[in-house]
Amino acid sequence: MIDAAVHHRWSSEAEVYPFLEEGWRQYVGEPRSIAGRFGARRLLPIGRYPNPVGDDLPGATAHGSVAGTSVDALGERWLDDNSIDRALLVYDRGTFAASHPNPFFAAAVVRAVNDWNAETWLGGDERLHGVALVPEQSPDEAVAELHRVAANPRIAAVAVSPSIGRLLGHPLYHPIYEAAAELRLPVVINRGIDAITDAPTGTAGGAPYTFAEYRTLAPLALTTNVTSIVVNGVFERYPDLRLYASGAGITWLDAMFLRVDTLWRSLRSDFPWVKEAPSEYLRRGLRVGTYGIEAGTPDTIRRLADRKPHLREMLVYGSGWPRWDTTGPQEVAELLPADWHEDVFGGNAADWFRWESRVPAR
Amino acid sequence: MYDGALIDCDIHYLPRSESDWLPYLEPRWREFVESPGDGATVPISGQFISVTEQQEGVFRHDSFPGDGSPPGADYELMREQYLDRFDVGAALLTKSAGPTSTNGELVAAICRAWNDWLVAEWLDGRDDDRLFGTLFVPTHDPLVGAAEVRRAGAHPKFAAAHLFHAIARPFGHSIYDPVYAAAAEMDLPIYVHGATGEISGSDAPPASGGAVLHYRLEMFASLHHPMAHHLTSMIVHGTFEKFPGLRLVIAEEGIAWLPWLMTQLDANYELMKRESKWVRRRPSEYLRERLGVSTQPIEASIDDRRALVDYLETVEGIEELLCFSSDYPHWDADEPTFIGTILPPAWHDKVFYDNARRLLRLPDRVPVTAPVVASG
């Protein structure tokens, strides 16, 4: 059993401070050193929407800590109970560390967070695996950071947060893909690109006013970025590249296949380097996490599974624990056909990520 | 194959040249457009985002009349190539977008002139009972827009009110309520075509996740992005609750995005109820009752008819939303015979006639007199 969407975070940003380089440590400042309140800058860009039902599952906390901040709580409250053998820690808002508007600060925070992750989480429970963050606003640094972090065999993927307004197919990102393909690290794209304040990546038509609208529309930003990767020929340049999109449910994928394939037939002369239908590349090169699965509409999910059998190879179980919309293995199992379970809960993820056994020899 | 009455929700007309409709412009604005001082005229259209540029424009090559006028300007050619050829019973004459100037006063004046010209030239001017119009609604000032809906909408051959410009606020924002009140009062559905100005002069991003698109495929693939947001916004902020008679028809954005959007809307129902006092029914119910979505450009090829329908059928009752449209004379137009081969025969009556009949403001005498024949 593999869970490819476990969220982890720090209990306070001060946990990351010791990993910052000295100059940046001074830049951040001291929390509550001024008037008992002010004194420190935030490490992460601010998210746009407070969640009206709370961020976390009731009961996900343990030992009085904030949910998702403790290796022990994760083991006791989630992995043990659900017989999860391997978990991919994909961060929470930390996945957007690279999205701070100041690219130099973003790069410094990314380095610190990667080191915090290795020391605090990946050194512990052997079930835990991590994703590398990269400062994608600075491609050369991103490649260097990826090589540095990927030396840790517990790193199983690399996460990107394309927050600078250029979609993921842009040549800006290609060096990262080259390194990811060489290192056999799948590229993780999480939902939420469109909810970062002060990033030019927002929702079509303007910023939504509520969390419910943002969450409903989250598949759009994933679709735009995945489409961009295909039409810009990334899979032709890096045939070994693997993608993992997570957090926006599973029903959007086939809408994208239908639309983009249809358009590709008539418009492919614009990008002759795309030699196959986009869905062909994506069936080989993309896996979709079940985190955010539309559990409230089980009939639709069952009909989808019945009519779109290719999802059996493409879906990867991810719980989202300890977020409020966590879907446990049992709940997902009831939504999907029994003969898919082996693939979705284990086989597909086992084949996809860079587990220790797949780390290339140095 | 379907041989019943046919309503087409999207046929594009154009003037032969700007001088056709300029005489209808109020003198103050006509002088503004025609006499800026350097001998040229003031452009009345803003710029579309770069990737919309196509070498061939957006037209079928065989649709150019040959006299220098643009496709859609020659009524006889439109009859020959489309209306008569497919025995269209009612045709909704549309234009992709209204005036895209950034000057809201000018836009409102052009809308009034254009609506009057459309009546004179096409709706009254042709002896053809099949032709119905969409009136342009200026939205920079929604009160001005509401007034135009009431003024122009008094003409019985307008079947819908076309909102072509979202003022960087999603359509559920109450700032648009005067327009919706007027449309409901006039029994006119709101009509939205393509992106609602996001690719032509709006301040809002045309696509989610990164507004700078590199290729026209990406532009066409994301044409529905703003509309997905507008629909979500209208549900969450109560537009359908505030205006119980309000209906909505959207065109040229494809249909394959409906299943995931309807699914996500329903999956987020509990959250919506918590954040908004307006969400009182499962969100997809509002859409089944009030929304029509034109079938073009349909996401299917002749080689694979099932892939689309299999996906559409994952959401129950989706055929209640689908309204046939050709998009003649655009490059990616769909002919009714093609749509008939893609969509299940059991849906044909609804798609080709019933849904549009229910949503558009068509008169009882709507000349779709051919018997509706069971399809097969």
Side-chain angles (χ1 to χ4, degrees):
Chain A
M1 171 79 83
I2 299 175
D3 182 344
V6 171
H7 292 105
H8 71 315
R9 55 175 93 129
W10 38 85
S11 54
S12 87
E13 291 190 341
E15 247 187 67
V16 182
Y17 290 173
F19 299 93
L20 282 167
E21 293 132 27
E22 180 50 30
W24 290 111
R25 176 68 196 85
Q26 289 178 23
Y27 175 81
V28 169
E30 287 300 332
R32 291 175 293 282
S33 60
I34 299 174
R37 271 189 87 168
F38 303 104
R41 299 171 204 267
R42 283 196 182 91
L43 299 184
L44 296 181
I46 302 165
R48 207 187 285 272
Y49 301 103
N51 184 335
V53 296
D55 282 335
D56 298 310
L57 280 182
T61 53
H63 315 302
S65 62
V66 178
T69 61
S70 138
V71 173
D72 291 342
L74 171 59
E76 290 167 21
R77 299 289 170 113
W78 187 249
L79 303 183
D80 295 350
D81 289 353
N82 291 292
S83 309
I84 291 164
D85 304 303
R86 274 178 265 179
L88 188 68
L89 299 169
V90 295
Y91 295 95
D92 179 302
R93 283 188 40 238
T95 197
F96 301 116
S99 301
H100 193 283
N102 176 339
F104 307 105
F105 183 53
V109 173
V110 162
R111 289 191 293 272
V113 170
N114 280 328
D115 289 344
W116 165 86
N117 192 37
E119 189 162 316
T120 313
W121 289 84
L122 303 182
D125 194 319
E126 63 183 16
R127 292 171 290 191
L128 304 183
H129 295 75
V131 297
L133 301 182
V134 290
E136 58 262 346
Q137 300 183 62
S138 317
D140 292 346
E141 277 191 68
V143 169
E145 178 67 359
L146 183 52
H147 280 281
R148 184 182 80 86
V149 176
N152 184 339
R154 290 281 197 89
I155 289 292
V158 51
V160 292
S161 64
S163 63
I164 58 173
R166 288 292 179 178
L167 295 165
L168 278 177
H170 195 279
L172 170 74
Y173 303 103
H174 290 201
I176 299 172
Y177 301 140
E178 183 174 9
E182 181 192 328
L183 292 162
R184 306 182 69 172
L185 294 167
V187 173
V188 179
I189 314 167
N190 286 310
R191 88 160 181 236
I193 300 155
D194 43 338
I196 306 167
T197 48
D198 60 29
T201 52
T203 307
Y209 299 126
T210 63
F211 179 77
E213 290 167 276
Y214 149 68
R215 189 171 185 270
T216 298
L217 298 166
L220 292 174
L222 291 182
T223 302
T224 317
N225 275 289
V226 171
T227 301
S228 170
I229 286 172
V230 176
V231 300
N232 282 287
V234 172
F235 283 115
E236 281 291 334
R237 288 187 79 166
Y238 312 109
D240 297 331
L241 186 74
R242 298 166 164 211
L243 303 178
Y244 173 61
S246 169
I250 66 170
T251 60
W252 57 278
L253 182 69
D254 281 278
M256 177 178 71
F257 281 4
L258 289 160
R259 183 66 160 261
V260 176
D261 278 3
T262 304
L263 286 166
W264 172 78
R265 285 184 203 104
S266 31
L267 300 176
R268 61 192 178 204
S269 60
D270 285 1
F271 34 85
W273 44 85
V274 178
K275 296 178 168 52
E276 299 174 70
S279 67
E280 296 295 324
Y281 291 103
L282 292 170
R283 283 189 198 197
R284 288 196 302 272
L286 171 69
R287 295 294 175 265
V288 174
T290 62
Y291 174 46
I293 192 168
E294 297 87 338
T297 54
D299 292 344
T300 291
I301 300 301
R302 288 191 194 105
R303 283 192 287 265
L304 187 69
D306 182 46
R307 282 136 193 274
K308 297 295 176 188
H310 53 256
L311 290 174
R312 177 181 180 160
E313 282 77 46
M314 295 192 69
L315 295 183
V316 167
Y317 174 66
S319 66
W321 193 89
R323 301 284 292 180
W324 66 285
D325 52 353
T326 297
T327 35
Q330 194 54 42
E331 198 177 350
V332 173
E334 284 168 17
L335 290 165
L336 298 177
D339 58 348
W340 290 23
H341 291 178
E342 206 168 301
D343 294 330
V344 174
F345 289 106
N348 293 343
D351 291 344
W352 204 244
F353 297 99
R354 191 192 76 165
W355 311 111
E356 286 97 321
S357 59
R358 303 166 63 98
V359 175
R362 306 193 75 181
Chain B
M1 185 50 63
Y2 180 81
D3 59 358
L6 183 68
I7 300 174
D8 187 333
C9 290
D10 189 23
I11 294 182
H12 289 284
Y13 71 95
L14 281 174
R16 284 177 294 271
S17 74
E18 286 193 358
S19 59
D20 280 13
W21 61 270
L22 273 171
Y24 294 84
L25 194 58
E26 294 146 27
R28 186 243 183 275
W29 289 110
R30 187 166 181 193
E31 195 276 335
F32 175 88
V33 168
E34 292 188 318
S35 311
D38 64 355
T41 56
V42 171
I44 56 155
S45 292
Q47 295 298 310
F48 282 69
I49 61 173
S50 305
V51 298
T52 58
E53 291 293 322
Q54 307 203 71
Q55 290 166 331
E56 67 274 36
V58 293
F59 299 110
R60 270 170 42 173
H61 286 198
D62 67 346
S63 67
F64 286 84
D67 61 359
S69 64
D74 185 332
Y75 167 67
E76 294 301 331
L77 187 62
M78 182 189 283
R79 280 185 57 181
E80 178 194 328
Q81 288 188 326
Y82 191 68
L83 297 175
D84 293 353
R85 184 170 163 219
F86 292 102
D87 194 19
V88 175
L92 194 62
L93 294 173
T94 62
K95 190 169 173 292
S96 302
T100 54
S101 166
T102 53
N103 181 340
E105 281 190 64
L106 175 61
V107 166
I110 294 173
C111 286
R112 289 190 288 270
W114 193 284
N115 291 337
D116 288 346
W117 166 78
L118 185 65
V119 168
E121 177 82 13
W122 286 85
L123 304 182
D124 285 348
R126 312 245 178 241
D127 184 23
D128 190 333
D129 281 350
R130 297 173 295 185
L131 304 180
F132 292 89
T134 45
L135 67 91
F136 281 139
V137 185
T139 42
H140 289 77
D141 179 344
L143 292 174
V144 171
E148 182 59 6
V149 170
R150 291 191 174 91
R151 188 195 72 87
H155 192 285
K157 292 203 81 181
F158 278 117
H162 183 172
L163 261 62
F164 56 88
H165 184 73
I167 47 179
R169 290 283 176 272
F171 278 156
H173 195 291
S174 58
I175 198 168
Y176 301 103
D177 282 357
V179 171
Y180 301 141
E185 178 191 317
M186 302 301 286
D187 194 34
L188 285 165
I190 296 295
Y191 186 82
V192 180
H193 185 283
T196 52
E198 286 84 0
I199 59 169
S200 60
S202 161
D203 298 327
S208 281
V212 181
L213 304 174
H214 309 151
Y215 297 96
R216 58 186 173 147
L217 177 142
E218 294 173 289
M219 186 271 292
F220 286 119
S222 56
L223 264 181
H224 62 289
H225 283 204
M227 200 61 226
H229 186 182
H230 292 310
L231 291 172
T232 306
S233 175
M234 292 171 90
I235 290 167
V236 171
H237 302 288
T239 309
F240 294 116
E241 287 287 345
K242 289 188 237 178
F243 306 101
L246 189 72
R247 305 168 321 267
L248 187 65
V249 175
I250 61 185
E252 205 173 326
E253 304 190 359
I255 54 177
W257 52 283
L258 291 171
W260 78 255
L261 180 66
M262 292 171 77
T263 304
Q264 281 286 356
L265 284 167
D266 284 352
N268 287 291
Y269 180 35
E270 295 302 324
L271 275 177
M272 287 176 190
K273 280 196 291 190
R274 207 165 157 76
E275 287 184 289
S276 164
K277 65 181 179 181
W278 291 109
V279 185
R280 296 167 190 169
R281 300 160 61 188
R282 270 173 84 84
S284 65
E285 288 178 26
Y286 292 108
L287 301 187
R288 278 191 199 87
E289 187 181 285
R290 312 287 191 89
L291 176 66
V293 182
S294 94
T295 50
Q296 182 274 340
I298 204 158
E299 293 96 331
S301 80
I302 210 82
D303 310 324
D304 189 359
R305 299 167 187 196
R306 282 308 304 180
L308 173 68
V309 176
D310 280 344
Y311 181 59
L312 293 175
E313 284 178 344
T314 60
V315 170
E316 221 164 341
I318 203 156
E319 67 274 20
E320 305 294 336
L321 280 75
L322 306 182
C323 300
F324 170 72
S325 73
S326 65
D327 193 37
Y328 173 88
H330 283 175
W331 68 282
D332 53 350
D334 290 334
E335 293 177 346
T337 42
F338 172 62
I339 299 301
T341 63
I342 300 293
L343 298 180
W347 295 7
H348 286 185
D349 288 352
K350 285 180 174 154
V351 173
F352 288 113
Y353 182 80
D354 293 348
N355 294 339
R357 185 73 187 80
R358 171 168 56 85
L359 294 161
L360 296 174
R361 190 183 75 173
L362 298 173
D364 293 337
R365 59 169 179 76
V366 67
V368 279
T369 48
V372 177
V373 179
S375 44

